[in-house]
Amino acid sequence: MNRETELGVQAWMDGELPPTEAASVATLATSDPQAAALLAELKHTRAALAGNELERAVPASREFYWSRIQRELERLENQPAAPRRPVWLSWWMRFLAPAAIVAVLALVLFTPTFAPSSAHRTVHPAEIESPLDDVSVLTFRSEAERMTVVWVNFQ
Amino acid sequence: MTTVPSRKALRGLATKGWLPACVFLACCCAAGLAGAAQAQAGELNLNAVLIWGTDEAKPKEGSYKELDAKVKKKLCRIFRWKNYFVIKEEKISLAPKIAKRLKLSSKCELELKYADDDTVEIKLFGEGRWTKTFKQRIDALKNGELAVLAGDDKDKYDDAWFVVLSVSLP
């Protein structure tokens, strides 16, 4: 007798099998000695447990426990529901907020005012050439006036 | 068989963030197209002004014009001269790969050309001699930057000359 059959016998004894299976297990329990032995052992065990289980008294009555559960359920039911988000706010959160972020990004990326200032790169000292020996040059840039000045001195 | 998207489906599309993404992509495309168009336009309109800086009053003879108030204000904040008179003003349209020469006086000439897509090369010729070359970023000029070449006036003690180069406004 395998494990499946043992479990089947146990389920039949507990009345948990559907009628079609119950009939075959009942036949087995009468024809198979091992199944019959198992059934007898299970019946003894159940009888032993039913007759000798310790009774423990709870400090409060069954009704008291139920009334506590009921009170808690009622409290939860009567709790005011969380205020629903207004429609306009919901619409804002779903569409306008991402759109606003996109707009700000576009503004930052594509507006020259926010773009990294090219003023610092207006003059490249390495690219300034002066082919004459008798000419000295002073170059400076005024950030405030946004002006690059190349001052040429003839000596 | 084609299906027409329902209102609900469209609303779902909008609320799930697809619409903002599409808007963003459209912005990117528009900016890219605008940038490409700008880059391909190439034509750069420049304004070159030869200026005399002096503490003297405007001479009665000669046809000196008053300098643009904004430019004068800028120059006054940096240099010590009180008066700035326009000797000559020239407008030039610069196309890529073509150098243009600009004669502002018998002693002062400029040669302008695109050094690359982003930079304009300015060559100064003093009394016919190549005196100075410097490069200026075009985007800076377009943003209002002034490129100024200047020096002491050899003919008149304590006076100065200036060549102010800017992008001319349409």
Side-chain angles (χ1 to χ4, degrees):
Chain A
M1 193 170 62
N2 60 20
R3 179 81 181 149
E4 282 295 311
T5 316
E6 284 177 359
L7 289 172
V9 170
Q10 189 178 349
W12 175 68
M13 190 195 73
D14 292 335
E16 293 169 351
L17 286 180
T20 49
E21 286 183 43
S24 62
V25 175
T27 311
L28 183 74
T30 50
S31 60
D32 185 12
Q34 280 186 331
L38 175 65
L39 184 64
E41 192 181 331
L42 287 170
K43 281 181 176 173
H44 285 141
T45 307
R46 186 169 65 179
L49 286 171
N52 301 293
E53 196 172 9
L54 283 175
E55 268 200 28
R56 289 190 178 274
V58 289
S61 69
R62 184 186 178 92
E63 286 73 24
F64 174 73
Y65 278 113
W66 273 115
S67 68
R68 278 183 64 186
I69 291 167
Q70 198 172 4
R71 277 202 305 273
E72 184 63 16
L73 286 171
E74 282 171 0
R75 189 185 66 80
L76 290 173
E77 279 172 5
N78 294 332
Q79 231 175 20
R84 284 196 65 188
R85 188 185 288 169
V87 176
W88 65 268
L89 188 61
S90 171
W91 198 69
W92 162 260
M93 293 300 286
R94 284 180 182 170
F95 172 66
L96 283 181
I101 292 167
V102 168
V104 168
L105 273 175
L107 197 72
V108 168
L109 290 173
F110 303 121
T111 307
T113 314
F114 294 107
S117 173
S118 57
H120 299 288
R121 298 172 282 144
T122 48
V123 169
H124 313 274
E127 294 177 21
I128 293 172
E129 291 177 73
S130 193
L132 303 176
D133 292 333
D134 59 341
V135 172
S136 64
V137 169
L138 175 73
T139 304
F140 67 93
R141 182 174 187 280
S142 167
E143 184 74 40
E145 304 304 331
R146 298 176 71 193
M147 183 191 290
T148 306
V149 178
V150 180
W151 189 268
V152 183
N153 279 317
F154 292 93
Q155 290 157 356
Chain B
M1 194 177 81
T2 54
T3 55
V4 179
S6 66
R7 265 184 152 184
K8 197 176 171 184
L10 285 173
R11 217 175 74 183
L13 195 72
T15 52
K16 282 174 186 169
W18 283 102
L19 196 58
C22 292
V23 170
F24 179 66
L25 280 176
C27 283
C28 291
C29 291
L33 287 173
Q38 200 178 15
Q40 284 181 353
E43 200 92 338
L44 182 65
N45 295 314
L46 292 168
N47 194 40
V49 192
L50 179 63
I51 299 162
W52 167 37
T54 182
D55 286 332
E56 290 177 9
K58 189 176 176 181
K60 286 177 183 172
E61 69 276 9
S63 56
Y64 299 111
K65 284 191 291 178
E66 288 289 338
L67 181 61
D68 175 72
K70 277 185 184 174
V71 180
K72 185 180 178 183
K73 206 171 174 181
K74 281 172 180 268
L75 291 175
C76 282
R77 286 198 193 116
I78 294 175
F79 301 106
R80 63 179 179 81
W81 290 278
K82 290 175 192 165
N83 298 315
Y84 298 86
F85 302 115
V86 175
I87 298 170
K88 191 168 184 182
E89 185 166 2
E90 288 276 352
K91 289 189 189 303
I92 188 170
S93 186
L94 203 61
K97 295 177 184 174
I98 298 169
K100 283 203 175 172
R101 195 119 171 173
L102 207 60
K103 189 165 185 173
L104 294 170
S105 75
S106 58
K107 293 179 180 176
C108 178
E109 281 182 74
L110 294 179
E111 190 182 282
L112 303 162
K113 69 171 184 181
Y114 274 86
D116 54 52
D117 289 345
D118 304 318
T119 319
V120 66
E121 184 183 275
I122 304 158
K123 267 188 182 179
L124 173 71
F125 291 86
E127 297 175 340
R129 293 191 306 166
W130 174 28
T131 308
K132 175 84 190 150
T133 302
F134 86 103
K135 291 174 183 174
Q136 180 82 28
R137 286 190 67 85
I138 291 167
D139 57 352
L141 285 169
K142 282 181 176 172
N143 287 331
E145 182 90 7
L146 298 180
V148 180
L149 289 152
D152 290 316
D153 193 335
K154 279 161 68 176
D155 298 330
K156 199 162 184 351
Y157 177 73
D158 215 24
D159 284 1
W161 60 269
F162 300 86
V163 174
V164 177
L165 212 71
S166 60
V167 164
S168 58
L169 299 169

